[in-house]
């Protein structure tokens, strides 16, 4: 039987397959799936893995996540206060870097793989590995050095430091965050993740001007990725647009897979990738909360029609909000499996 | 130094996100005799408006520019106001905060900076603000607008957020006196969402938010 892993491999290589890879990121929905509160859910890697496996078996999409929530990265670096919600993802509620001295005091653990803060993510990855390893791609989420400070000091303090300095302090912080990235991506690879989503909103022209991406962000991305290479790495800007930087990313970083923003033009994104890699067209899952079944179906078809011809294309979602009706999830996936059928590959 | 060169140099510095250059241009201008009133009304506000226009025309702009425009404009205005010959008339008042359950403060901060440079008295209620607090503070300060920022879907459309502020305004018969503006990532991904949560208006970025909120203030004052 052809698996999600086979479909992904075919799409990367531009070969034909029974259909395009279809990624659906269902985490919040997992709590109800296994019948526990959101808080209990996000504290249990076993439940996060179990719920995802159940939903994947039911809906038939092609991926699962070792991610519990992004705030875990801050926890690994000392954050002790997480705000749980009944109807949404957990959020960092305490910023560990409150003063310039805190930045100089910040230490990055040498070994993350055996670090207690990584234990849940590792356990989740290992369960998934044991259950569907080699069949269903396991995704890991790793925040780039330039975006991690937003979780450690808040987005406004970080923008201030990034744009107004002191620049030596900024660069010392970035170096530490880059060291953390290098160790985290390595730990996820060791734990058995297949796909490493390199999340960097600051690699998007929605956040920074092109010149700053080229001259400031790029060298840090090179530093992040050089030690471990770009095997399995997917470029993603946290749902911010990045069509304009695709060329630069391929040239400077060698990344060959792109998870576009729902606000990016899919055909234009694919054109920019120009046969050099895999492009994911991503649905605006925030709009899905209010869409009718027909609207959801039409949007799935539109995206796949724009991206599928010529191969090397996949369909994906962002972090699906809990407010999306279950019926809409089913409709979206049915439509994606149907419209995505018979991936002809590259001509 | 003519006012024309000040405007041009300052505009360029703001577009280049260069705060230090912008501030020194303004300080030099005041030193050489340009009035603080002219700096605010003929330099700062027109440059914020030029930025709004650029955004509306989909000129290549980004968060870094929005942030720095608001930052620089608010700082210059704050420096100039005490130097005015007579205190300036304010356009109106707004209270702003990030909604219950949400700790993201950047969007609100940009909006407030922009409003202050547009002569709106903008009061910061902080993050994780309860609906009751929004309404109480708006009444206490006689504000015409409540500005609500939300970064996540569950805080944007949840029952404790804007929906509850709307219900409270209706309950207390305040809907003619106070308008609601919303913003944050979910509203950018779904431009119709603001209506579903009971807001009167929304804006996709902090600079356009200035215009939207000034319009709402004028609606109430009319
Ligand atoms: C940068 C970013 C991150 C960074 C930094 C986060 C942080 N702490 O700030 C990182 C990578 C760490 C991150 C992590 C997460 N993120 Co995030 N992130 C983003 C991103 C790309 C940009 C957000 C941002 O800071 N923008 C800059 C600010 C200034 O913009 P803004 O708040 O929208 O404000 C502007 C306007 O909206 C307007 N405005 C704002 N307020 C107001 C108010 C009024 C009255 C008006 C008129 C206008 C207005 O003016 C502002 C200035 O221009 C967005 C997607 C996007 N493209 O927007 C996702 C996004 C916000 N993230 C999202 C999510 C889910 C998360 C996580 C919860 C994921 C997870 N499962 O853990 C974590 C949470 C981390 C935490 N806090 O604990 C979702 C939220 C939607 C949802 N599903 O609920 C988004 C929308 C992505 C998506 N489409 O799925 N994220």
């Amino acid at each position: 039987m052809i698996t999600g892993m086979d479909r992904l491999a075919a799409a990367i290589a531009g070969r034909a397959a029974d259909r395009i890879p279809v990624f659906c990121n269902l985490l919040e929905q997992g709590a109800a799936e296994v019948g526990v509160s959101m808080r209990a859910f996000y504290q249990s890697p076993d439940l996060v893995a179990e719920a995802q496996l159940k939903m994947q078996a039911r809906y038939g999409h092609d991926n699962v996540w070792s991610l519990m929530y992004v705030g875990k990265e801050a926890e690994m670096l000392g954050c002790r206060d997480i705000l749980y919600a009944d109807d949404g993802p957990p959020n960092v509620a305490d910023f560990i870097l409150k003063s310039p001295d805190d930045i100089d005091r910040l230490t990055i653990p040498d070994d993350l793989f055996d670090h207690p803060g990584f234990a849940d993510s590792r356990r989740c990855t290992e369960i998934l590995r044991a259950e569907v390893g080699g069949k269903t791609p396991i995704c890991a989420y790793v925040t780039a050095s330039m975006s991690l400070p937003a979780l450690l000091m808040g987005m406004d303090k970080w923008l201030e430091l990034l744009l107004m300095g002191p620049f030596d302090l900024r660069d010392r912080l970035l170096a530490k965050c880059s060291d953390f990235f290098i160790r985290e991506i390595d730990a996820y690879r060791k734990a058995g993740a297949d796909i490493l989503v390199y999340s960097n909103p600051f690699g998007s022209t929605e956040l920074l001007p092109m010149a700053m991406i080229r001259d400031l962000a790029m060298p840090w991305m090179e530093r992040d990725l050089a030690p471990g290479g770009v095997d399995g790495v997917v470029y993603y800007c946290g749902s911010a647009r990045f069509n304009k930087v695709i060329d630069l990313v391929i040239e400077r970083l060698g990344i060959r897979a792109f998870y576009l923003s729902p606000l990016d033009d899919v055909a234009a994104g694919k054109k920019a990738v120009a046969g050099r890699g895999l492009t994911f067209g991503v649905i605006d899952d925030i709009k899905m909360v209010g869409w009718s079944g027909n609207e959801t179906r039409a949007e799935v078809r539109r995206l796949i029609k724009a991206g599928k011809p010529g191969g090397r294309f996949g369909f994906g979602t962002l972090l699906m909000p809990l407010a999306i009706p279950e019926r809409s999830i089913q409709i979206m996936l049915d439509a994606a499996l149907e419209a995505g059928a018979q991936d002809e590959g590259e001509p | 130094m003519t006012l024309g060169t000040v405007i041009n140099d300052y505009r360029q510095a703001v577009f280049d996100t260069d705060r230090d250059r912008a501030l020194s241009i303004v300080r030099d201008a005041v030193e050489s005799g340009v009035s603080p009133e002219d700096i605010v009304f003929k330099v700062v506000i027109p440059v914020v408006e030029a930025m709004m226009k650029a955004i509306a025309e989909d000129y290549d702009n980004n968060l870094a520019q929005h942030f720095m425009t608001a930052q620089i404009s608010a700082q210059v205005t704050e420096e100039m106001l005490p130097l005015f010959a007579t205190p300036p008339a304010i356009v109106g008042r707004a209270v702003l905060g990030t909604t219950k359950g949400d700790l993201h403060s950047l969007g609100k901060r940009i909006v407030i900076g922009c409003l202050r440079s547009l002569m709106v008295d903008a009061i910061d209620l902080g993050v994780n603000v309860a609906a009751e607090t929004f309404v109480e503070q708006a009444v206490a300060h006689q504000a015409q607008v409540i500005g609500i920022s939300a970064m996540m879907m569950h805080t944007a459309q949840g029952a404790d957020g804007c929906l509850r502020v709307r219900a409270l305004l209706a309950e207390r018969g305040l809907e003619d006196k106070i308008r609601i503006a919303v913003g944050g990532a979910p509203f950018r991904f779904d431009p119709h969402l603001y209506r579903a949560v009971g807001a009167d208006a929304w804006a996709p970025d902090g600079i356009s938010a200035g215009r939207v909120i000034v319009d709402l203030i004028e609606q109430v004052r009319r």
Side-chain angles (χ1 to χ4, degrees), chain B residues 102-131:
Chain B
D102 202 320
L103 305 157
H104 294 89
S105 56
L106 176 62
K108 166 188 63 96
R109 170 167 163 184
I110 298 176
V111 178
I112 289 176
C114 180
L115 285 174
R116 289 194 175 146
S117 65
L118 293 173
M119 294 292 133
V120 174
D121 186 9
I123 295 162
D124 189 347
L125 303 181
V127 298
N128 195 13
V129 177

Side-chain angles (χ1 to χ4, degrees), chain A residues 70 91-92 155 238-239 318-319, chain B residues 104 149 153 181 183-185 188 204-206:
Chain A
V70 175
N91 265 251
V92 168
M155 191 69 176
S239 83
L318 300 171
L319 186 74
Chain B
H104 294 89
S149 193
M153 196 53 184
R188 297 175 52 237
D205 60 82

